[in-house]
Amino acid sequence: MYNRGFRCDGRMRLDYRPMEVETDVVSHASGSARLRLANTDILVGVKTEIDTPYPERPREGKIEFFVDCSANATPAFEGRGGEELGTEISNSLATAYQSSQTFDLTALCILPGQQCWKLYIDILILECGGNLFDAVSLAVKAALHNTRVPKVKGACLDGGTVDLQLSDDPYDCCRLDVSDAPCLVTLCKIGDHCVVDPTAEEETCSSGSVVIAITEKSLVTSVFKTGVGSFHPQTLIDILKVGQTIGLSVNKALRAALLEEEQQGRKKECFGFLK
Amino acid sequence: MARMDLISFKGLRLDGRRANELRQIRCKMGVFSQPDGSAYLEQGNTKVLAAVYGPHEIRGSRSKALHDKALVNCQYSMATFSTGERKRRPRGDRKSQEMSMHLRQAFQAAIRVEVYPRSQIDIFVEVLQADGGNYCACVNAATLALVDAGIPMTEYVVACTASLANGDVPLVDVSNLEENSGGPNLTVAALPLSGQVALMEMSQRFHLDHLPKVVECALQGCRDIHQILDQAVRRHTEMSGSALGWGNRAQVDL
């Protein structure tokens, strides 16, 4: 069946499953998003904190990713069972966001060399239905889009330490520019062909997959291979070309969905998990 | 620290409720497809997800298997973004372990464990947003998840908190702000129809004369929550039943 381009659930090789995204689900966080890609359910919360910048990069803020695989997804993740998978995903996100052209860290600077914003991006994996990398990266992009960083109104120097005054108005904040944030696209090799958006069953019967981090401007920020199989160099180049086109359309679709949600403004009904 | 008046002179609390009013409870059963049972519950601003797996074979060492009962295994976990200050570790700290033990204690009182010898029932609870009454929301959500999984229980397990304001007015269902203001906190997990208490925990102090009325306040809260949860279960059963075509609605005796 794969040779004719069909998959078990009737999709073509390069089709994604239906996706739902909703932002502003957790009110305690500065920004949040929930993404549902068929069975895969991801919840991302972004928290902002004031921190000192690295000495070699005094004009840049910091971001830190933390992935928590909840036991809700499978009992094997109880206790510290999901730590390995969580570390793999957070490291891949950190590599994807490392380039200065993806996420402008200078926007997070408050006082060069002394104070900057640190964004803690916490990802909670609630259900695993395959294709975790893609779902996580899309949810992170949506949550960053929703993040509201409070504005700094004033600063006073008190004997070497800086005391910042933040604006009291909860609506007085600045948004982050995520137009260049990358999305990860997983291409899974099954037999001789590669498929996009594998389900959990397809992942178990694949020999390996390639994950590409790609931005809306067609910039590839990271590529890595997961799984135990090996690829011929020509297959790898073909996969990358396919991944590039898919990545562009996924990025555009997410942007359109986020803009549509934002246009609903105050009238938007908050469903969260109730729907 | 200046103590805020937990109850104003007109009888209103900090969030506008009266002393005996619960926060708004919204819930949904069957949120996920992978676990055998799952539920989402919101109690005011506290949001909790519960998933139940089981009964299945004991994972890990077979020596833990009980020859005549099922093993109930609970895990309490809080998302790192759930509290005002970011939490470094979602689980594994002492507080989470204590909560997991309390959950286990509450549910062992109600689940019919003798029906499934040598097996294990897992209850995993994830707190998405913590605004007071976390343990109670977890117990209530886990009850719904157990009902969704079809695990036999003698009764629903329902939990509620209570406190004392101004020295003598009992408050039900305390929020985070009221908990942190220094007043006493009583948490009760009960089987509401029979009136049995599965777990009771109290912190801070108040005079022993006030204890019976605070306990009664918490038990009444449990009874009210039980009604809400029961309605939610019946609604969910009706919806899933009618989707499967269980015959004429008038003939279904709920």
Side-chain angles (χ1 to χ4, degrees):
Chain A
M1 278 272 268
Y2 276 107
N3 293 338
R4 271 178 280 156
F6 288 107
R7 293 151 79 169
C8 297
D9 45 10
R11 286 183 286 156
M12 302 300 282
R13 278 189 220 130
L14 303 178
D15 283 344
Y16 266 86
R17 288 171 289 179
M19 235 186 277
E20 277 173 23
V21 64
E22 188 180 350
T23 58
D24 212 16
V25 189
V26 176
S27 44
H28 281 185
S30 309
S32 59
R34 180 194 175 209
L35 189 125
R36 216 181 152 75
L37 176 62
N39 276 13
T40 306
D41 208 321
I42 314 279
L43 180 62
V44 177
V46 180
K47 276 202 162 301
T48 51
E49 259 181 37
I50 299 195
D51 200 7
T52 40
Y54 293 120
E56 65 269 17
R57 291 197 289 261
R59 290 179 178 278
E60 285 184 2
K62 302 179 182 174
I63 43 172
E64 189 179 304
F65 294 94
F66 174 70
V67 175
D68 179 24
C69 297
S70 160
N72 285 19
T74 153
F77 287 162
E78 189 185 349
R80 300 180 73 161
E83 237 176 72
E84 218 179 89
L85 178 63
T87 330
E88 194 189 343
I89 300 180
S90 55
N91 285 347
S92 56
L93 278 173
T95 326
Y97 275 78
Q98 216 172 22
S99 158
S100 55
Q101 288 174 317
T102 50
F103 189 69
D104 188 17
L105 289 171
T106 51
L108 297 174
C109 177
I110 308 174
L111 284 177
Q114 291 182 326
Q115 307 268 290
C116 67
W117 286 111
K118 181 164 185 184
L119 294 180
Y120 286 103
I121 303 175
D122 299 311
I123 297 144
L124 187 58
I125 297 183
L126 293 166
E127 208 181 353
C128 290
N131 205 15
L132 281 175
F133 286 101
D134 293 31
V136 166
S137 67
L138 289 169
V140 165
K141 189 166 174 178
L144 283 172
H145 175 89
N146 178 244
T147 305
R148 278 149 175 78
V149 179
K151 276 211 184 121
V152 180
K153 282 285 166 188
C156 48
L157 214 54
D158 185 13
T161 51
V162 186
D163 195 15
L164 292 172
Q165 285 140 14
L166 299 174
S167 164
D168 280 331
D169 184 0
Y171 292 104
D172 187 17
C173 47
C174 28
R175 304 284 295 272
L176 299 170
D177 178 24
V178 282
S179 51
D180 284 325
C183 283
L184 302 177
V185 176
T186 309
L187 289 131
C188 201
K189 182 156 180 272
I190 301 180
D192 288 327
H193 303 280
C194 65
V195 295
V196 157
D197 191 19
T199 61
E201 294 87 21
E202 286 170 342
E203 273 179 353
T204 44
C205 59
S206 81
S207 46
S209 28
V210 177
V211 181
I212 311 170
I214 187 155
T215 69
E216 218 165 305
K217 295 201 176 79
S218 255
L219 268 163
V220 175
T221 58
S222 93
V223 175
F224 57 93
K225 182 208 155 285
T226 59
V228 298
S230 50
F231 289 89
H232 193 274
Q234 189 53 45
T235 325
L236 210 55
I237 308 231
D238 294 336
I239 287 182
L240 286 175
K241 287 207 188 85
V242 169
Q244 211 173 6
T245 24
I246 305 272
L248 275 174
S249 52
V250 163
N251 265 306
K252 285 210 175 76
L254 181 68
R255 276 269 261 168
L258 290 173
L259 277 171
E260 193 189 322
E261 196 194 15
E262 207 164 312
Q263 268 164 5
Q264 286 180 2
R266 294 289 181 84
K267 284 179 277 178
K268 180 183 91 122
E269 290 174 57
C270 203
F271 289 113
F273 288 86
L274 289 167
K275 197 169 179 198
Chain B
M1 184 179 101
R3 276 196 56 176
M4 291 177 279
D5 262 343
L6 288 178
I7 194 153
S8 80
F9 150 67
K10 289 220 173 106
L12 294 177
R13 289 153 80 168
L14 294 168
D15 50 7
R17 288 184 283 154
R18 298 234 163 243
N20 59 352
E21 272 178 18
L22 295 169
R23 290 177 288 180
Q24 188 193 33
I25 296 181
R26 296 196 290 180
C27 53
K28 178 163 195 275
M29 291 168 65
V31 184
F32 298 129
S33 50
Q34 190 129 347
D36 295 316
S38 57
Y40 169 74
L41 186 124
E42 268 182 34
Q43 204 165 327
N45 274 337
T46 303
K47 299 181 181 164
V48 162
L49 268 174
V52 167
Y53 284 91
H56 54 75
E57 212 179 321
I58 302 248
R59 251 191 1 266
S61 56
R62 294 290 157 84
S63 55
K64 280 196 275 179
L66 302 165
H67 70 279
D68 59 344
K69 294 192 216 173
L71 196 69
V72 176
N73 174 38
C74 298
Q75 184 186 265
Y76 173 91
S77 167
M78 291 181 79
T80 41
F81 46 76
S82 59
T83 46
E85 285 280 318
R86 181 179 180 258
K87 239 182 137 272
R88 304 230 71 156
R89 283 175 73 194
R91 53 189 164 274
D93 55 324
R94 300 252 278 256
K95 190 76 203 276
S96 308
Q97 281 176 350
E98 188 193 350
M99 290 289 205
S100 308
M101 259 169 36
H102 286 170
L103 277 172
R104 193 155 163 253
Q105 190 182 340
F107 284 105
Q108 264 181 325
I111 298 180
R112 306 261 317 273
V113 286
E114 63 277 1
V115 182
Y116 301 111
R118 280 186 282 273
S119 52
Q120 182 176 341
I121 298 175
D122 290 320
I123 303 174
F124 299 126
V125 176
E126 189 81 36
V127 177
L128 302 178
Q129 201 171 296
D131 187 39
N134 304 335
Y135 175 75
C136 301
C138 290
V139 166
N140 300 337
T143 299
L144 289 178
L146 284 165
V147 171
D148 190 39
I151 291 181
M153 294 197 285
T154 50
E155 253 203 84
Y156 285 33
V157 186
V158 181
C160 192
T161 46
S163 179
L164 206 62
N166 298 352
D168 66 342
V169 181
L171 303 174
V172 80
D173 198 8
V174 287
S175 66
N176 206 18
L177 209 51
E178 290 167 338
E179 255 177 35
N180 292 342
S181 69
N185 287 319
L186 177 81
T187 307
V188 167
L191 306 169
L193 293 175
S194 56
Q196 313 239 348
V197 171
L199 180 133
M200 181 154 97
E201 194 190 20
M202 199 209 107
S203 66
Q204 306 293 337
R205 62 176 200 253
F206 53 74
H207 199 280
L208 202 57
D209 288 346
H210 297 302
L211 185 62
K213 70 177 172 195
V214 180
V215 171
E216 182 49 42
C217 182
L219 285 174
Q220 182 56 40
C222 286
R223 284 189 279 265
D224 294 336
I225 298 180
H226 167 73
Q227 274 190 342
I228 299 175
L229 295 184
D230 197 36
Q231 269 175 15
V233 168
R234 283 169 198 272
R235 229 183 6 242
H236 175 80
T237 318
E238 215 177 281
M239 264 181 14
S240 40
S242 58
L244 291 167
W246 281 0
N248 212 346
R249 230 190 236 195
Q251 287 171 350
V252 175
D253 183 20
L254 285 174

